[in-house]
Amino acid sequence: MKKTALVLEGGAMRGMYTAAVLDVLMDEGIEVDAIYATSAGVLFGVNYISGQRGRAIRYNKRFSRDKRYMGVHSLVTSGNVINKDFAFYEVPFTLDVFDDETYKKSEVKMVATVTNVHTGGVEYMEIESVLEQMEVLRAASAMPFVSQMVELDGQLYLDGGLSDSIPLKKCQADGYERIIVVETRPKGYRKKKSSALPAKLFYSKYPNLVETINNRYATYNDILQEIDDLDAKGEIVLVQPSKELHLGRIESNPDRLQEMYDLGVGDAKALLPRIKEFLSE
């Protein structure tokens, strides 16, 4: 029996696209054995495992304009553009409760990418309990320059997207053969090389991290091309935005979030025949 997995890209609030795709899969009763995810893909992907359809778009629209949730106020007062206490603790524990009991009972494996600040390399962490491992979720989504580093077992970490933007190769190496990749950029997108100076100045104490950040455009573009090639050959199924929506990484307009979500719903529904055929092979 072939093992099935989802591979989810990050992209901050572009992740509303991913959340929509996952909701469509839930509606259709499509199940997988594992999820390999980066950054926002982790934060929103866990709702698929807990069976909480619509939760990601619901709480993000509800709190997107709340200064306690994310934005400049949080960055200035806490050092994190996404507020640690409110977004990662008050929301999932109290205001829009995450169903950790259902999550823990599921046999679906969740693997999150994180970037080790000292080595600059990727590490993969399995999340067995979202509420008990919330710091792993924080580390997985701690965006550079606008987030404090997260300490786990004496090591410092940042967003896994820096070192492995789309963890397809790890998923393949672990033996998964039927893979659905969800990207949050439209077809043909490639990342441009940017100035190396900000990382050198901001993270001068961590030369390996600086190298990773400044080479990210190349490693990201390489995996995008590999995914395109595999999709063209029918060896994976790629779901990606059918058009460009210019959404801010920390988008506060709930209508814009809904627009991205609706795009994901439409694209996923259009691909359902192919997805079902692929998973039946």
Side-chain angles (χ1 to χ4, degrees):
M1 185 72 175
K2 292 182 179 180
K3 295 196 296 181
T4 303
L6 287 164
V7 174
L8 309 178
E9 184 180 8
M13 285 304 163
R14 293 197 313 273
M16 287 299 99
Y17 183 88
T18 302
V21 173
L22 297 178
D23 283 352
V24 171
L25 297 183
M26 277 192 269
D27 288 342
E28 295 294 319
I30 294 173
E31 300 178 350
V32 299
D33 300 301
I35 297 177
Y36 286 71
T38 293
S39 196
V42 179
L43 301 184
F44 303 148
V46 294
N47 296 296
Y48 172 90
I49 300 177
S50 67
Q52 290 177 279
R53 187 202 183 285
R55 179 175 178 269
I57 184 65
R58 179 178 66 238
Y59 76 76
N60 276 286
K61 287 179 67 176
R62 178 181 174 188
F63 299 115
S64 63
R65 287 179 168 159
D66 191 322
K67 68 178 183 179
R68 297 172 298 171
Y69 186 53
M70 62 182 182
V72 175
H73 179 269
S74 177
L75 181 61
V76 171
T77 57
S78 73
N80 293 296
V81 71
I82 298 178
N83 189 274
K84 169 188 174 181
D85 294 331
F86 188 80
F88 288 94
Y89 287 93
E90 191 166 351
V91 171
F93 282 82
T94 305
L95 299 177
D96 197 318
V97 178
F98 180 78
D99 186 355
D100 205 38
E101 290 307 309
T102 296
Y103 180 93
K104 289 189 289 188
K105 291 175 184 177
S106 173
E107 295 182 357
V108 180
K109 180 170 72 171
M110 167 60 82
V111 178
T113 66
V114 292
T115 300
N116 186 304
V117 168
H118 293 282
T119 68
V122 64
E123 294 181 19
Y124 303 96
M125 297 186 177
E126 186 171 346
I127 299 175
E128 298 177 350
S129 165
V130 170
L131 298 186
E132 293 170 18
Q133 294 176 267
M134 192 59 73
E135 290 300 283
V136 176
L137 274 74
R138 281 216 312 124
S141 57
M143 292 182 286
F145 307 114
V146 292
S147 304
Q148 294 180 334
M149 299 171 185
V150 178
E151 183 175 344
L152 301 171
D153 297 325
Q155 294 290 317
L156 295 174
Y157 295 94
L158 282 173
D159 194 319
L162 298 174
S163 51
D164 193 353
S165 297
I166 308 175
L168 172 64
K169 292 183 178 180
K170 173 61 175 174
C171 180
Q172 292 171 320
D174 286 350
Y176 294 89
E177 299 175 273
R178 295 189 299 194
I179 301 172
I180 300 169
V181 177
V182 183
E183 294 180 358
T184 57
R185 293 287 194 180
K187 187 173 181 62
Y189 174 84
R190 293 296 184 269
K191 193 172 186 65
K192 296 179 181 179
K193 184 177 181 179
S194 56
S195 172
L197 188 59
K200 287 181 179 179
L201 293 175
F202 205 86
Y203 295 115
S204 59
K205 295 181 180 179
Y206 308 99
N208 293 324
L209 177 65
V210 170
E211 183 177 1
T212 296
I213 291 174
N214 287 334
N215 288 334
R216 186 188 172 226
Y217 79 98
T219 56
Y220 181 46
N221 291 344
D222 286 346
I223 193 62
L224 288 176
Q225 186 61 55
E226 182 171 340
I227 289 169
D228 283 351
D229 293 343
L230 291 172
D231 180 54
K233 292 187 287 188
E235 295 181 18
I236 65 170
V237 171
L238 171 60
V239 187
Q240 63 184 152
S242 55
K243 64 180 180 180
E244 179 73 69
L245 290 181
H246 297 285
L247 207 70
R249 289 183 65 79
I250 307 299
E251 181 61 60
S252 62
N253 186 332
D255 293 334
R256 299 284 288 151
L257 297 179
Q258 186 67 52
E259 186 179 7
M260 179 62 87
Y261 180 88
D262 291 343
L263 180 64
V265 170
D267 290 348
K269 287 183 176 180
L271 275 174
L272 276 175
R274 186 180 174 198
I275 291 172
K276 291 179 178 180
E277 180 182 4
F278 178 73
L279 296 181
S280 67
E281 293 175 354

